[in-house]
Amino acid sequence: MLNVNHCIPALSAAACVLGLVGCASLTSPSASGRISQKPFGATKDGIPVEVFTLRNANGVEARICNYGGIVLSLQVPDRNGRFGDVVLGYDTLAEYEKESPYFGCLVGRYGNRIAKGKFKLNGQEYSLAINDKPNTLHGGIKGFDKVVWKARPFTSDLGPALELRYLSKDGEEGYPGNLDVKAVYTLTADNSLRLDYTATTDKDTVLNLTHHSYFNLAGRGDILNHVVYLNADRFTPVDSTLIPTGELRPVKGTPFDFNTPTAIGARINQDDEQLKFGKGYDHNWVINKPMKQLGLMARVTEPTTGRVLEVLSTEPGLQFYSGNFLDGKLKGKGGWVYQFRNAFCMEPQHYPDSPNQPNFPSVALKPGQTYQNTIIYRFSAQ
Ligand code: BGC
């Protein structure tokens, strides 16, 4: 493990740790960048937590802690080269522990909802905690967002990286199987924050991992003027508790059609049952691409700053959530009070409630198989 405040050029972590070279001087076009590490306090149970700063040669910087794998801040340039933080969150670990609507975290074992907290696998029924009445949401009471992951900063060919590992015990939060999960964040030279998940189990189980950053590409205010393109012809409509009905409904002619880039606010308040159920957008889109193939899911542009976020993934679905449950009760970084629709989430994942929906792509994982999921948030400006 590295010492506090060590700075690691991407090409020569070992040399830097040994103090053999200057940190700032070593860069390369293929994998330039560096990582530094410092304490982020301790959890209420006394477990020390570290914050890792990944920086690429363009000055893009991601700060990530190993409590929940939370992306604490993400500094990206606007069209004039001005850097700004584009994710919501808190300044301190204690605030994350006290109350967080999943700001910036890794989500598991099951991202999104499972109806009534129950599912059957191989004929056996499993019961999960009901933490979003009447359903289970985002892994239950103590999901992957609330555990301390084992961290290993390193450098890959792609850039500075942080490996996070967690062993979720058989029966944890009601899910079967000892699950060994690895999440690797990499900050690449093309200004992408990339997340590669792998996982294995020793018993048949279900798994749906994702990431939950709340983005605001302007860095302030509501997100209604952000313009969204979604690469999807269908979405999964929900009931009033946000559980899919099982239908894959064409978006054509509905406020869910983002094949033509459209402002989030353009249709969000229309008289539409699905929008009412979600209090806005809080739905899963069926992405137009082959299963397991890495492809573009979404492109979001912010007109005043010119910032662009592209979301790519190997997953089949994308939950686009327009921050409808933010209500002015949480005060975040730098005193910004997070109001209704001050941010949006783009969560690549399998469809909600898949364990209970035989027509949805399977989320089962068996011993001997390796779960894989890549999520890329790529930033640019126009
Ligand atoms: C869900 C929302 C939920 C939010 C929790 C999103 O992934 O789709 O319904 O309220 O997470 O912060």
Side-chain angles (χ1 to χ4, degrees):
M1 221 352 126
L2 299 169
N3 290 328
V4 169
N5 269 332
H6 259 317
C7 165
I8 313 161
L11 282 181
S12 186
C16 186
V17 170
L18 294 170
L20 299 178
V21 292
C23 290
S25 57
L26 255 187
T27 52
S28 112
S30 57
S32 47
R34 55 194 169 139
I35 317 168
S36 61
Q37 173 179 354
K38 61 180 186 180
F40 193 49
T43 64
K44 353 184 238 277
D45 301 333
I47 305 170
V49 174
E50 300 281 304
V51 51
F52 299 85
T53 303
L54 281 59
R55 201 166 210 276
N56 74 8
N58 310 322
V60 170
E61 186 189 278
R63 287 171 56 250
I64 303 169
C65 73
N66 62 324
Y67 172 82
I70 295 172
V71 176
L72 303 169
S73 64
L74 191 50
Q75 296 277 348
V76 303
D78 67 9
R79 65 161 73 88
N80 299 314
R82 266 193 304 263
F83 281 80
D85 185 4
V86 294
V87 294
L88 271 52
Y90 296 118
D91 290 317
T92 64
L93 177 60
E95 290 166 293
Y96 281 104
E97 275 197 288
K98 189 168 165 240
E99 185 184 3
S100 171
Y102 302 91
F103 283 143
C105 61
L106 302 174
V107 187
R109 294 190 187 190
Y110 198 93
N112 219 310
R113 292 174 174 82
I114 295 179
K116 306 209 163 54
K118 290 203 186 309
F119 69 93
K120 270 197 185 141
L121 189 62
N122 303 331
Q124 193 180 327
E125 183 166 87
Y126 292 91
S127 286
L128 313 164
I130 307 299
N131 62 335
D132 185 67
K133 272 187 193 155
N135 305 313
T136 190
L137 174 70
H138 292 336
I141 295 181
K142 190 170 180 182
F144 291 175
D145 57 301
K146 296 181 188 69
V147 300
V148 177
W149 295 63
K150 197 168 161 200
R152 183 178 72 89
F154 71 107
T155 57
S156 78
D157 291 346
L158 297 175
L162 176 66
E163 177 189 285
L164 297 169
R165 254 192 125 126
Y166 180 65
L167 180 69
S168 175
K169 298 261 172 63
D170 186 17
E172 188 173 298
E173 288 294 328
Y175 292 95
N178 287 298
L179 187 78
D180 190 359
V181 194
K182 195 158 85 172
V184 179
Y185 283 109
T186 310
L187 187 62
T188 66
D190 71 346
N191 296 350
S192 296
L193 182 63
R194 176 181 173 127
L195 173 58
D196 290 283
Y197 276 117
T198 47
T200 53
T201 181
D202 61 0
K203 260 191 204 169
D204 286 14
T205 192
V206 295
L207 189 60
N208 188 30
L209 303 176
T210 188
H211 175 82
H212 213 285
S213 273
Y214 282 71
F215 296 102
N216 184 317
L217 300 180
R220 277 280 145 140
D222 70 48
I223 42 80
L224 299 177
N225 290 331
H226 285 56
V227 175
V228 170
Y229 159 76
L230 297 179
N231 177 22
D233 293 331
R234 292 170 300 168
F235 76 113
T236 52
V238 289
D239 67 16
S240 63
T241 75
L242 301 184
I243 294 295
T245 59
E247 183 190 349
L248 305 185
R249 186 180 291 175
V251 293
K252 209 171 170 43
T254 78
F256 292 79
D257 189 352
F258 284 93
N259 280 296
T260 303
T262 307
I264 295 176
R267 299 163 300 181
I268 200 168
N269 295 320
Q270 277 185 13
D271 186 12
D272 176 282
E273 187 183 53
Q274 284 299 312
L275 287 172
K276 290 214 170 93
F277 286 159
K279 296 190 166 48
Y281 296 107
D282 193 357
H283 296 77
N284 167 69
W285 272 257
V286 176
I287 300 300
N288 299 331
K289 68 172 185 61
M291 283 290 289
K292 298 192 175 171
Q293 190 174 297
L294 184 66
L296 183 70
M297 294 192 148
R299 182 183 299 111
V300 187
T301 49
E302 199 289 306
T304 62
T305 60
R307 289 197 183 98
V308 181
L309 163 64
E310 288 173 305
V311 183
L312 296 91
S313 177
T314 48
E315 291 294 284
L318 176 74
Q319 184 85 8
F320 162 38
Y321 167 56
S322 54
N324 315 307
F325 294 108
L326 296 173
D327 57 6
K329 289 201 187 110
L330 300 176
K331 195 195 267 185
K333 286 182 272 188
W336 177 7
V337 176
Y338 296 136
Q339 307 285 0
F340 189 46
R341 298 177 179 159
N342 271 191
F344 65 90
C345 301
M346 290 288 178
E347 307 157 53
Q349 55 189 231
H350 272 63
Y351 312 162
D353 196 34
S354 292
N356 295 310
Q357 305 261 359
N359 298 328
F360 288 179
S362 170
V363 287
L365 181 70
K366 293 179 183 309
Q369 297 178 331
T370 300
Y371 167 94
Q372 276 177 318
N373 166 3
T374 296
I375 295 171
I376 295 175
Y377 296 106
R378 186 162 66 201
F379 295 90
S380 56
Q382 64 183 24

